[in-house]
Amino acid sequence: MTAPAPAAPSVTTVFVRLKLSLLRNGLRQSAGRRAAYVASAVVVLLFAALQLVGLIALRGAEHADALVVPLTAVLALGWAVMPLFFPGGDETLDPTRLVMLPLRPRPLVRALLAASLVGIGPLFTLCLVAGSVIAVAHGAAAYAVGVVGVVLVPLVCVALARAVAAANVRLLTSRKGRDLAVLSGLLIAVGAQVVNFGAQRVGVSGLGELEPVSDVLGWVPPASAVGAVRDASEGAYGTALARLALSAVALVALLALWSRHLTRLMTAPDGSTLGAGGAARERGRGGRFRLLPPGRTGTVMERSLRYVWRDPKTKAAWVTSLAIGLIVPVFNAWQGTGSVYFACFAAGMLGIQMYNQFGQDTSAFWMVAMTISAPRDAYVELRARALALLLITLPYAVLVTVLTTAMLGDWARLPEALGLSLALLGAMLATGAWTSARFPYSVPQEGHKNVVPGQAGLAWISVFGGMVAAALLCAPVIALAVWANVSAGGDAWAWLVLPVGAGYGTLITALGLRSAAPRTARRLPEILAAVSKG
């Protein structure tokens, strides 16, 4: 009599063991990776423990619920967006690796959900939710609801992250997905500024400032599960059950959405190349580029604008400049501590993009160098690059200046601020063209560094030296603005700063381009050697 075959292990058990194996094997690759993982785990767990203690200390505070409900909503938002920014952080985020396995979607969803609960992120979430529940729970009923909430919130967060990752898996493995990863640091920095501003407001006004936000987010899953604990503590058991049911329904809906995307990924072909023919037809001069001038000027402008849109490093630099140029004046105006002159940050940050113009071409600059045989060719090349930059920078600088002025209500200073911005932009275009020819350096295409080893000194001289020179070149317009503010009757002539600044910026740009063109034509071999390193 043959012995019965041993029962096969469940899919869930296999996937949990697979996740543990991935973690273990990843740590075995190198001592550096192991040290980084251990250090990050210690920091995260320490922060989670401190956060848990801090939330428990809030127990009994008057507006504790006004903090924990928005905190849970922000946590869920982080779970939703992190897969888009860091797709390479977890190998199991890509379900296309499982396409060839004979697995049905529902068991696969259960297995992946269980495996996703293994890690530092879910443990951090569990600590935060547990502390939030303890902070607002009063009575046996509230603790009973809290136990359910502590289970629901991490499950909803993980299911949300997995559903977002499955819906965008084609994007995450494409060039645009890598662009998102490059830009993630910027969005985190912007988010940190928003959180910092909110924390300052709360520090001044107290937690009661968050009550309206908490009332709204208390009906948004999974924050509604924490809001249910608050309702149970107050005896509103019907409302508590409704909020708890809302989070449960959200979990079921997310699991169904996740299962649907998994089914489509495992049964439908990849359509990422189906439109290749149409894309090829759009590569000619047309569409949004048809209004560019003809000849070399239009060609160079189109090339520069395509760099901005397609090259991850160039795109990251532009978006960073756009964001900081807006954040600095607007946030200061919002806090009531700003000045209309802070709007010059927009022109200054975007003017930096004129520096090291040839470095973004890297080794491909040789194709540009082959078309430059005289200073006139170099002048047209530099002028076209400056015009491409102005297509974005000029309207943006005007927009930020007007927005800052409107927020402060200081319309009398608008001509001065706008004139100074235009003069600064012109000076940075001029110095950027000159330093591009005199101090070129290579920009590595891989990794997060912006300068190849050995050229950091060139980069510092190019950017910071050029910025100092631009500030000195703006001295006449700055002197006019100071005179208009300090002299008797100067306010009547303050409007002159706008036309003077615009005219001066235009003149200094033209002089800078004409000065840089002969040097560019003479130094083509040196420029090509410098930008081709790395």
Side-chain angles (χ1 to χ4, degrees):
M1 182 176 181
T2 59
S10 66
V11 177
T12 301
T13 303
V14 171
F15 270 73
V16 171
R17 293 171 59 188
L18 176 62
K19 180 64 175 288
L20 294 173
S21 297
L22 287 172
L23 290 174
R24 184 172 59 253
N25 294 336
L27 296 177
R28 288 176 177 174
Q29 288 184 2
S30 66
R33 180 167 180 172
R34 183 163 55 251
Y37 181 84
V38 172
S40 61
V42 170
V43 171
V44 171
L45 293 177
L46 180 61
F47 183 68
L50 293 175
Q51 193 166 234
L52 176 61
V53 173
L55 289 171
I56 294 175
L58 279 177
R59 179 176 173 79
E62 183 179 359
H63 299 289
D65 58 306
L67 173 65
V68 297
V69 172
L71 191 63
T72 306
V74 171
L75 179 68
L77 178 63
W79 274 95
V81 301
M82 282 303 107
L84 297 176
F85 296 149
F86 304 104
D90 186 353
E91 291 85 349
T92 63
L93 277 176
D94 186 1
T96 57
R97 298 169 181 260
L98 311 173
V99 169
M100 301 303 295
L101 299 179
L103 299 172
R104 293 183 178 276
R106 287 188 179 180
L108 183 60
V109 166
R110 289 196 298 268
L112 287 175
L113 181 63
S116 300
L117 294 173
V118 178
I120 301 175
L123 181 58
F124 176 85
T125 303
L126 184 64
C127 291
L128 187 144
V129 178
S132 300
V133 168
I134 295 173
V136 298
H138 300 281
Y143 275 106
V145 173
V147 170
V148 180
V150 167
V151 175
L152 271 178
V153 172
L155 288 176
V156 172
C157 289
V158 171
L160 176 61
R162 288 293 181 166
V164 170
N168 297 277
V169 66
R170 303 296 187 193
L171 170 65
L172 298 180
T173 55
S174 66
R175 177 180 57 83
K176 291 185 178 180
R178 293 190 293 272
D179 292 351
L180 281 174
V182 171
L183 299 176
S184 60
L186 166 67
L187 296 182
I188 292 173
V190 174
Q193 290 294 329
V194 175
V195 172
N196 178 54
F197 177 73
Q200 291 179 6
R201 292 287 299 272
V202 171
V204 173
S205 306
L207 293 177
E209 187 82 10
L210 296 176
E211 284 288 356
V213 179
S214 177
D215 292 339
V216 174
L217 295 179
W219 291 99
V220 178
S224 60
V226 178
V229 180
R230 175 189 59 187
D231 292 332
S233 299
E234 297 172 352
Y237 301 118
T239 306
L241 288 176
R243 294 183 194 266
L244 209 58
L246 192 60
S247 290
V249 170
L251 176 60
V252 173
L254 287 171
L255 292 176
L257 181 65
W258 185 11
S259 177
R260 178 181 176 184
H261 285 302
L262 280 177
T263 302
R264 186 173 63 185
L265 284 170
M266 301 179 77
T267 58
D270 183 5
S272 60
T273 60
L274 295 179
R281 287 192 296 270
E282 294 177 359
R283 286 182 185 137
R285 177 70 63 79
R288 56 183 177 272
F289 296 118
R290 68 181 182 277
L291 299 179
L292 297 178
R296 177 174 186 141
T297 299
T299 302
V300 174
M301 291 178 68
E302 180 179 354
R303 184 182 68 226
S304 298
L305 294 173
R306 288 189 184 276
Y307 272 141
V308 174
W309 182 249
R310 293 183 176 181
D311 180 61
K313 286 292 182 71
T314 306
K315 181 186 292 187
W318 268 94
V319 176
T320 301
S321 298
L322 289 168
I324 295 178
L326 178 66
I327 288 173
V328 171
V330 169
F331 269 55
N332 280 279
W334 195 1
Q335 292 175 311
T337 60
S339 166
V340 292
Y341 302 112
F342 281 10
C344 293
F345 267 95
M349 290 302 301
L350 294 181
I352 293 176
Q353 304 308 314
M354 187 64 188
Y355 293 81
N356 195 35
Q357 274 293 304
F358 308 125
Q360 66 183 2
D361 297 344
T362 62
S363 58
F365 178 70
W366 72 270
M367 292 187 290
V368 177
M370 293 292 291
T371 65
I372 298 176
S373 58
R376 174 64 184 175
D377 298 328
Y379 172 74
V380 174
E381 175 77 22
L382 290 169
R383 184 187 63 185
R385 292 183 184 231
L387 289 174
L389 188 145
L390 283 172
L391 284 180
I392 303 173
T393 303
L394 190 58
Y396 188 79
V398 173
L399 176 64
V400 172
T401 305
V402 173
L403 178 61
T404 305
T405 305
M407 294 181 67
L408 293 171
D410 194 3
W411 292 103
R413 303 295 180 195
L414 177 61
E416 296 177 47
L418 197 52
L420 287 172
S421 293
L422 296 178
L424 176 61
L425 179 58
M428 296 197 75
L429 290 178
T431 56
W434 192 87
T435 58
S436 293
R438 182 63 183 85
F439 303 109
Y441 58 91
S442 180
V443 179
Q445 295 301 298
E446 301 295 333
H448 295 278
K449 293 183 177 180
N450 292 318
V451 184
V452 298
Q455 292 188 334
L458 283 174
W460 277 88
I461 294 174
S462 174
V463 177
F464 291 99
M467 291 172 64
V468 171
L472 293 176
L473 288 175
C474 290
V477 183
I478 295 175
L480 177 61
V482 172
W483 172 82
N485 280 276
V486 301
S487 64
D491 288 343
W493 300 98
W495 62 271
L496 281 175
V497 178
L498 176 56
V500 170
Y504 183 79
T506 303
L507 175 64
I508 203 70
T509 299
L511 292 176
L513 293 175
R514 292 195 176 276
S515 172
R519 182 176 295 272
T520 301
R522 277 196 318 269
R523 301 189 73 247
L524 282 178
E526 293 89 340
I527 296 174
L528 180 58
V531 302
S532 299
K533 290 184 178 180

